[in-house]
């Protein structure tokens, strides 16, 4: 492609601010034109987007906010953004050349102008599936790494519970726990996912939370001696039940609370007194604060992937037109593994 050339640019824009459950028609796929040229004397780059990551936090950005949030909201009629894998096609930056493969925040569109390329990370291992950089080697993988190793500080023999365990983050947390010599149990929303946790990821046990009338009883069945580490992805009733089952000096890494994102009024938590009586430490975190540790994380996970010590499952939607359906499906539990969208493979 020639620099300065005009190209059609398909993109996903926010059509409506979202109240309650996200719907496909809250987004719209439109086409405009992009010129493959960066502003004069700019250090910007233009990338061709290859793979886009569908992540639950994006739902928070789709509502109208009267108070500040960690992630700024999307603008009506403007392209949505998120983590993705892309190839540099035009560069005004000395550290990025045409053809470089990168990971970072990009537009939900075919081509994006990145005005601050310093936010991008060059991909060191293109011999692995590039799609992995939306998941196990991307933001979800970093989230699992920071939450489990840095915040929960596991010890061999500890009892670990992971909610939303078959998702982009949870499947990796469980495998990290196994590598650390822990006993790990996960919850998921279908029998298929429960089987995946036990047979592919090596969880000692797992349960379908939709079939459990009493989550407290389910956790007592799986953890008769209690829980040392809880990797929190869900919130709501699951968090309430976990608090009743934590052991003294347990740790909870609060990564997300996907059960709450589509509620107009978030659910309350009733068992917080257990944090006091059991000396539990619960810490929320945002992975953006920790990307200085990315290369250490990347090399560790690449080594485990190449040695076969860990594995990863993806749910790939084809084409930018499928992106709204794929994102909505996250909140209905339709995905099996990491949900991503492929726009182009090269």
């Amino acid at each position: 492609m020639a620099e300065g050339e005009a190209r059609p640019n398909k993109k996903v824009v926010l059509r409506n601010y979202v109240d309650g459950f996200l719907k496909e028609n809250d987004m719209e796929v439109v086409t405009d034109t992009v010129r493959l040229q960066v502003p004069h004397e700019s250090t910007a780059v233009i990338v061709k987007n290859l793979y886009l990551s569908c992540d639950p936090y994006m739902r928070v950005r789709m509502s109208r906010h009267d108070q500040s949030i960690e992630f700024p909201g999307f603008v009506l009629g403007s392209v949505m953004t998120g983590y993705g894998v892309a190839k540099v096609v035009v560069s005004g930056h000395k550290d990025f050349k045409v053809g470089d493969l990168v990971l970072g925040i990009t537009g939900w569109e075919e081509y994006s102008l990145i005005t601050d390329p310093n936010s991008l990370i060059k991909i060191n291992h293109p011999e692995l599936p590039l799609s992995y950089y939306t998941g196990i080697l991307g933001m979800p993988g970093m989230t699992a790494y920071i939450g489990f190793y840095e915040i929960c500080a596991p010890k061999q023999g500890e009892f670990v519970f992971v909610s939303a365990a078959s998702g982009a983050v949870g499947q990796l947390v469980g495998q990290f726990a196994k590598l650390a010599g822990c006993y790990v149990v996960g919850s998921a929303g279908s029998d298929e996912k429960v089987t995946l946790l036990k047979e592919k990821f090596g969880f000692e046990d797992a349960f379908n939370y939709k079939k459990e009338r009493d989550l407290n009883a389910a956790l007592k069945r799986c953890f008769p001696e209690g829980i040392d580490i809880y990797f929190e992805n869900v919130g709501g009733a699951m968090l309430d039940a976990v608090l009743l089952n934590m052991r003294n000096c347990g740790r909870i890494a609060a990564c997300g609370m996907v059960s709450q994102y589509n509620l107009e009024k978030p659910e309350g938590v009733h068992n917080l007194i257990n944090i006091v009586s059991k000396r539990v430490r619960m810490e929320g975190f945002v992975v953006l604060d920790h990307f200085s540790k990315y290369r250490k994380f990347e090399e560790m996970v690449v080594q485990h992937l190449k040695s076969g010590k860990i594995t990863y499952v993806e749910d790939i939607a084809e084409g930018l037109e499928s992106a709204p359906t794929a994102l909505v499906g996250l909140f209905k539990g339709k995905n099996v593994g990491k949900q991503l969208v492929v726009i182009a493979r090269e």
Side-chain angles (χ1 to χ4, degrees), residues 121-178:
I121 298 172
K122 286 187 182 180
I123 288 175
N124 276 354
H125 292 278
E127 73 277 11
L128 293 171
L130 290 178
S131 58
Y132 279 11
Y133 280 87
T134 68
I136 190 170
L137 293 173
M139 182 274 289
M142 266 292 284
T143 300
Y145 174 83
I146 294 298
F148 187 66
Y149 288 114
E150 302 275 331
I151 293 177
C152 292
K155 303 180 186 68
Q156 186 173 359
E158 288 192 313
F159 299 99
V160 177
F161 177 54
V162 186
S163 57
S166 68
V169 175
Q171 59 175 288
L172 191 52
V173 173
Q175 292 178 89
F176 284 162
K178 292 296 297 177

Side-chain angles (χ1 to χ4, degrees), residues 12 57 73 85 95 122 175 193 219 258 261 312 314 346:
V12 180
Y57 82 89
V85 172
D95 294 332
K122 286 187 182 180
Q175 292 178 89
K193 293 177 182 179
L219 290 172
V258 70
Y261 297 159
Y312 204 63
E314 299 175 312
E346 60 178 36

Side-chain angles (χ1 to χ4, degrees), residues 7-240:
R7 286 262 178 138
N9 192 30
K10 196 177 298 180
K11 58 181 63 180
V12 180
V13 301
L14 182 65
R15 185 179 180 187
N16 305 306
Y17 285 121
V18 182
D19 293 313
F21 276 86
L22 175 65
K23 304 180 296 299
E24 290 174 30
N25 62 9
D26 290 319
M27 297 163 275
E28 185 177 11
V29 180
V30 301
T31 301
D32 63 12
T33 302
V34 62
R35 187 165 294 280
L36 301 182
Q37 188 172 29
V38 298
H40 182 61
E41 296 185 348
S42 166
T43 60
V45 300
I46 294 176
V47 298
K48 178 182 180 181
N49 294 310
L50 306 178
Y51 298 91
L52 300 178
S53 178
C54 295
D55 297 301
Y57 82 89
M58 296 176 70
R59 167 62 185 83
V60 181
R61 302 185 65 190
M62 300 174 82
S63 294
R64 190 191 305 273
H65 293 283
D66 297 324
Q67 56 188 8
S68 63
I69 59 172
E70 181 65 29
F71 302 102
F74 295 133
V75 177
L76 280 183
S78 295
V79 66
M80 293 168 52
T81 59
Y83 286 93
V85 172
K87 180 169 67 173
V88 176
V89 294
V90 180
S91 179
H93 197 288
K94 62 182 178 63
D95 294 332
F96 293 91
K97 65 181 186 297
V98 172
D100 280 349
L101 295 167
V102 294
L103 157 70
I105 295 289
T106 189
W108 273 36
E109 57 190 345
E110 292 175 296
Y111 296 93
S112 293
L113 173 68
I114 309 295
T115 56
D116 180 17
N118 293 318
S119 64
L120 300 175
I121 298 172
K122 286 187 182 180
I123 288 175
N124 276 354
H125 292 278
E127 73 277 11
L128 293 171
L130 290 178
S131 58
Y132 279 11
Y133 280 87
T134 68
I136 190 170
L137 293 173
M139 182 274 289
M142 266 292 284
T143 300
Y145 174 83
I146 294 298
F148 187 66
Y149 288 114
E150 302 275 331
I151 293 177
C152 292
K155 303 180 186 68
Q156 186 173 359
E158 288 192 313
F159 299 99
V160 177
F161 177 54
V162 186
S163 57
S166 68
V169 175
Q171 59 175 288
L172 191 52
V173 173
Q175 292 178 89
F176 284 162
K178 292 296 297 177
L179 290 172
C182 298
Y183 180 93
V184 59
V185 176
S187 65
S190 73
D191 292 344
E192 176 191 8
K193 293 177 182 179
V194 167
T195 299
L196 188 71
L197 293 176
K198 293 191 287 188
E199 295 186 358
K200 189 170 184 68
F201 301 132
F203 285 56
E204 270 81 13
D205 203 355
F207 62 88
N208 181 349
Y209 71 89
K210 293 179 180 178
K211 289 187 171 181
E212 299 290 344
R213 293 185 178 181
D214 185 337
L215 292 175
N216 179 32
L219 290 172
K220 288 189 185 305
R221 181 181 74 238
C222 294
F223 294 101
E225 298 180 51
I227 299 168
D228 293 298
I229 291 173
Y230 173 42
F231 201 98
E232 165 66 304
N233 289 310
V234 171
M238 186 66 80
L239 174 59
D240 240 359

Side-chain angles (χ1 to χ4, degrees), residues 228-267:
D228 293 298
I229 291 173
Y230 173 42
F231 201 98
E232 165 66 304
N233 289 310
V234 171
M238 186 66 80
L239 174 59
D240 240 359
V242 167
L243 290 170
L244 295 173
N245 288 276
M246 291 298 294
R247 302 179 79 184
N248 286 350
C249 301
R251 288 89 72 205
I252 300 174
C255 160
M257 298 192 178
V258 70
S259 73
Q260 305 301 295
Y261 297 159
N262 287 303
L263 301 182
E264 294 183 20
K265 183 178 180 181
E267 296 171 332

